[in-house]
Amino acid sequence: MKTILLFTLSICYAVSGYAQFGVQQIISTTTEKPYLSVPFDIDNDGLIDVLTASGETYNLSWYRNLDGLGNFGQEIIINETPVYYISVDFVDIDTDGDMDILYHSNNASYIAWLENLDGSGNFGPEEIINEQDFISSVKTLDMDNDGDQDLLVAVTDTYSENQIVWYENIDGQGTFGGENLLIQNNNEFVKLELEDIDNDGLLDILTTEFIYAQGKIFWYKNLGNLTFGPMQIIYQFIWVQSGGTNIVDFQYVDLNTDSKPDIVMTSVDDNSVVSTHWLENLDNQGNFGDLQSIPLDFYDQYFFYDLDNDGDNDMLLWNRDLNNISWKENQDGLGTFGAPKIITTEVDFPTDAKAADFDGDGWLDIASASSGDNKLAWYKNNTLGISENEIANYRIYPNPTSGVLYIESTLPIPQLSVFNFLGQSIATNQNTNQIDLSKAEAGVYLLKIEDANGNSKTHKIVKE
């Protein structure tokens, strides 16, 4: 762990305010036609780096966060095998405690992985798991409960039956067995997500099918013992009402701040009109409410993050047609989004945008890739917080910790939350002065403390 991080552990940051983003800071113009800007701590030094891929040379590469202040190093090539990356995920394939790279290639279509050799950003050569046409989605899941990550794959072939299959990680080292059939039907699967739809502790399959007129989103219940139940339709467009609508993408995220993830969908009708809608999760049992619209510009793409740290999910947007990156505030925490706020227009054909804390101040910054100007860049979140005098003082110990973290306070603590630097929740506890981090991986995290007056504060903590 870098010394600079250890010196700042006692610094507290107010985290209630209004997100304002700084000027564009260039990471690189070296990668030709970059189309990914994936934030991840690749070299395990507690700082968030940026992974990208080239649409010209087809290299996979990364840029090291040098100091936690937003200064990045030169391009480091990970894989020079010509690949167009449909998906890239960091997954511990060989069960050695560090994150390897799993990816889905297009043209030719196959699934492969790169071994993380030392946890410091050095990766091995491409290891192909499966070569097969018509792969539409790849996810990892410990299907057989043996402690390693197996593969769940959707295969969509318009000329034959469509399937969801899985491949066993036989030895926990990345040696995969043959195809095991889970689901077979006439649905052309567009995308798979693994989510606990019915809140029973098992990850179910949430998916959509490709159809020109009456697109639908549906799920398969995980019954355990390597089996899934029948299709359960969540929502289906009716051709007469929708003009022939297909669902082309979806995300599973809590929009109305009730701790139940909702479904956000992007659809296209037969007049090429793109729309965004969401379905409220009513009961965490697979029942969802009526279709609600989210107004967006044509060609807007999006992810959800709490950009203003007020406890609800806002929208990060990028638009290749308008050449801008913006965000929409979740104004009431109920899924009502305001007008877009521009982050930058200094991008030519933006292809990706992601949020992560690049400078370690407790706020989610933005990274972007734009292929028209060969640019990777980031934008500091300069949110103005409330006064330190309005927030109670706390004592946190032991820090670093190997297990339970304790918080001393003169006021009751309604909620404690721990996040990684990507803004992902690691642990949450309510009405207590302690939180157990024994199951968290070693590293640097952000502890958010909320008091009875609705004020909040974040602290950097270290899990040993």
Side-chain angles (χ1 to χ4, degrees), residues 12-61:
C12 305
Y13 298 90
V15 292
S16 178
Y18 179 82
Q20 297 281 358
F21 291 91
V23 298
Q24 183 181 84
Q25 302 186 55
I26 303 298
I27 296 173
S28 172
T29 56
T30 301
T31 300
E32 297 182 69
K33 296 183 179 179
Y35 59 91
L36 295 177
S37 57
V38 181
F40 194 79
D41 182 6
I42 294 174
D43 54 355
N44 200 34
D45 64 352
L47 307 176
I48 301 299
D49 312 300
V50 175
L51 177 94
T52 191
S54 167
E56 184 70 25
T57 64
Y58 300 103
N59 290 336
L60 186 71
S61 60

Side-chain angles (χ1 to χ4, degrees), residues 50 133 235 243 248 250 300 323 331 346 355 386 431:
V50 175
D133 290 336
Y235 186 87
V248 295
F250 67 88
D300 268 342
N323 287 325
Q331 294 181 317
E346 297 180 40
I386 62 178
N431 299 314

